[in-house]
Amino acid sequence: MTTLPSSLVTVTPADDAYRYLRSTYTTPHSPAQILLPSSPSEVQQAMAYASGTDLPVSIRSGGHGLAGTSSNDGGIVVDLSRMDAVTVLDRPTGLVRVDAGARWAQIAVALAPHGLAISSGDHGNVGVGGLATAGGIGWLVRRYGLTIDHVRAATVVLPSGELVRADEANPDLLWAVRGAGSFVGVVTDLDIEAMELPGIQVGQVVIEIDRDGRALVEWSRFLQAAPRELTMSGVLAASGGRLVLVLTAVFAGTDAPRAHAALAPLLARPGVHAGGLQNARYTDLVPAGHLHANVGQQPSATTNALLAAFTAESAPALIEIARHPSGPFVQVRGVGGAAADIARDATAFWHRDAEVLVTVTLFPPRGAGELAAVARPLWSHALGAYRNFESHPSEATFARAFPGATGERVRELARRYDPDGVLHRVFLPAPRELGRQDVKPE
Ligand SMILES: Cc1cc2nc3c(=O)[nH]c(=O)nc-3n(C[C@H](O)[C@H](O)[C@H](O)COP(=O)(O)OP(=O)(O)OC[C@H]3O[C@@H](n4cnc5c(N)ncnc54)[C@H](O)[C@@H]3O)c2cc1C
């Protein structure tokens, strides 16, 4: 067995720092050792050591993963939080190198003086490593696409400890990093093309939702036809017996007349209320105020569905869910736009034709079993799902995220780069058990 070099910072239950490092956002955990590498070569040392044990091995960047797999009980955590540099490599092309342990609030702050931004997600405390290796559906998704769409290269430490570059010369590994990175190795940094973004405009829109969901259908038709600078996402909430969709509208750019014109057709409809658009910066959407330690503070069960659009069938299904007596927290996000520009087989994120993402969350004492029953009405309308909004990975959730040939390729690459299944000691099901597809492939 490889021994750990004394220079590698290691935290155990005897250390004061342990209580801030043991858990994830959703799940309290008790690992035996937390390794805190500060460079790719220390990640190599950590992985060579961890692979040589038969303990569970978790990889952690920001600790916001909903499945809580970035820590474990009794095993090893490789925590990348000390690796959080953000470097502008080439201002004219916007090429930026971000370390996997950085959080999106830090990146927004670091890029703002350069007039650049990377659309990531809606929370500043989420880490690079978990989001930029799976998707990245953010406030600017219709203008920029997914975060992975702009990943040009990455440094990866394989479970064996070998360090490799995922780039044009290594297309299989780059394909996997763009959507299924956690199946193949530990990504230590990514080269991402940021966008020019002098500013944004942001405002709230509230839509009254009628009993049969026509307002949802009309909203999704509106957004499909809207300029790509406009992205909207929000919460479908019960309010005094009524349902309302409370949305944040983000316009990528400073052209106020164009932003107002983009929203105008929606605001002209009955039952739509808005407070107007305000000038803001991208850093306001993923603020440094989001940064916090993860100590298992938000236990929850979450699942999701990607839809082509709201239709006369899927809108009532979502209304049924939102009105369920278990009180689910239902989020609705517009996708589409630039996310659909990428060929379906160019990355491990297949569902390029989705225009709407719906997430459904239950909080304790309700759990995953009840969530599955609550969310069931959505599945017959779904194209598939986004793996990062699934709290309970299973064969079924794998097949929803990676249907058909995409799933086969993810399995094949997982076997190639992680033949001993080191990364899958905590992430079930293991790739060689992923033969069965119990949801209908597209
Ligand atoms: C409050 C909240 C808001 C969110 N909002 C959005 C959103 O708007 N858009 C969106 O797309 N997603 C969103 N997410 C989901 C988010 O993309 C995932 O939870 C993501 O995995 C978190 O990344 P992390 O690095 O913080 O996670 P971690 O918990 O550190 O990691 C999660 C998993 O990712 C893998 N992983 C982590 N780091 C690496 C690495 N360096 N190399 C390889 N694999 C790695 C591991 O399998 C790990 O178990 C949100 C999550 C939360 C909790």
Side-chain angles (χ1 to χ4, degrees):
M1 194 177 95
T2 313
T3 51
L4 268 183
S6 56
S7 52
L8 184 56
V9 175
T10 302
V11 170
T12 69
D15 296 307
D16 288 345
Y18 182 79
R19 65 191 173 121
Y20 296 114
L21 292 170
R22 61 190 291 178
S23 299
T24 75
Y25 180 65
T26 61
T27 320
H29 278 298
S30 299
Q33 282 179 312
I34 301 158
L35 313 181
L36 292 146
S38 61
S39 65
S41 63
E42 285 198 343
V43 176
Q44 291 183 270
Q45 293 166 352
M47 287 310 292
Y49 166 76
S51 297
T53 70
D54 57 4
L55 297 172
V57 180
S58 292
I59 312 305
R60 180 163 63 210
S61 292
H64 259 256
L66 293 170
T69 47
S70 61
S71 187
N72 59 62
D73 298 314
I76 297 166
V77 177
V78 179
D79 180 313
L80 303 179
S81 58
R82 295 175 73 206
M83 298 172 62
D84 63 355
V86 181
T87 313
V88 176
L89 297 177
D90 184 44
R91 177 60 188 84
T93 60
L95 194 67
V96 171
R97 179 164 296 166
V98 290
D99 280 1
R103 291 161 196 263
W104 291 105
Q106 294 172 272
I107 294 169
V109 166
L111 297 185
H114 302 275
L116 296 172
I118 297 173
S119 177
S120 51
D122 63 6
H123 204 283
N125 202 46
V126 167
V128 167
L131 181 137
T133 58
I137 298 175
W139 290 117
L140 310 173
V141 63
R142 296 187 70 253
R143 163 68 179 78
Y144 180 82
L146 306 179
T147 312
I148 58 166
D149 298 346
H150 302 271
V151 170
R152 300 291 170 246
T155 306
V156 184
V157 173
L158 301 181
S160 62
E162 185 188 347
L163 185 139
V164 280
R165 279 295 277 173
D167 56 18
E168 280 177 3
N170 199 351
D172 278 350
L173 190 60
L174 183 58
W175 182 89
V177 163
R178 298 170 78 194
S182 63
F183 288 88
V184 292
V186 184
V187 172
T188 62
D189 56 67
L190 298 118
D191 293 354
I192 303 180
E193 260 174 37
M195 68 189 279
E196 302 259 354
L197 191 68
I200 57 164
Q201 286 158 80
V202 62
Q204 298 289 314
V205 177
V206 177
I207 304 178
E208 295 170 25
I209 304 298
D210 48 301
R211 189 187 293 264
D212 59 6
R214 280 210 352 243
L216 286 174
V217 177
E218 284 170 9
W219 170 71
S220 80
R221 276 197 200 130
F222 155 78
L223 196 58
Q224 253 175 302
R228 288 179 171 196
E229 289 101 318
L230 185 66
T231 298
M232 299 180 85
S233 81
V235 176
L236 183 60
S239 164
R242 297 181 314 156
L243 270 186
V244 286
L245 183 60
V246 183
L247 294 160
T248 300
V250 177
F251 186 88
T254 51
D255 183 340
R258 191 170 152 75
H260 285 97
L263 262 183
L266 179 66
L267 303 190
R269 292 175 194 271
V272 178
H273 313 277
L277 291 168
Q278 309 292 326
N279 289 324
R281 296 156 305 173
Y282 185 68
T283 46
D284 297 324
L285 297 176
V286 282
H290 282 176
L291 297 172
H292 55 72
N294 289 316
V295 292
Q297 66 268 45
Q298 188 60 90
S300 52
T302 297
T303 190
N304 75 96
L306 286 159
L307 309 175
F310 279 125
T311 62
E313 292 76 35
S314 61
L318 187 63
I319 287 175
E320 183 187 337
I321 291 169
R323 289 194 181 284
H324 194 278
S326 61
F329 178 63
V330 177
Q331 287 181 290
V332 174
R333 295 164 188 249
V335 197
D341 290 347
I342 306 290
R344 293 170 141 221
D345 59 1
T347 71
F349 188 99
W350 173 258
H351 298 294
R352 297 294 175 171
D353 43 359
E355 294 281 345
V356 177
L357 169 64
V358 173
T359 64
V360 185
T361 300
L362 288 182
F363 298 101
R366 304 178 191 281
E370 188 166 356
L371 179 68
V374 171
R376 188 166 297 127
L378 264 184
W379 300 137
S380 59
H381 310 289
L383 300 169
Y386 174 37
R387 65 182 293 238
N388 268 11
F389 283 130
E390 292 287 354
S391 61
H392 289 73
S394 67
E395 289 183 30
T397 64
F398 180 92
R400 282 186 199 123
F402 304 110
T406 298
E408 289 308 318
R409 192 170 176 193
V410 171
R411 289 185 189 94
E412 195 272 308
L413 293 172
R415 283 191 290 266
R416 189 192 308 174
Y417 290 108
D418 184 17
D420 299 324
V422 173
L423 298 170
H424 301 280
R425 293 182 197 158
V426 293
F427 183 80
L428 293 174
R432 57 180 68 79
E433 293 162 23
L434 287 169
R436 188 165 61 89
Q437 297 241 336
D438 51 2
V439 296
K440 158 173 79 69
E442 284 178 89

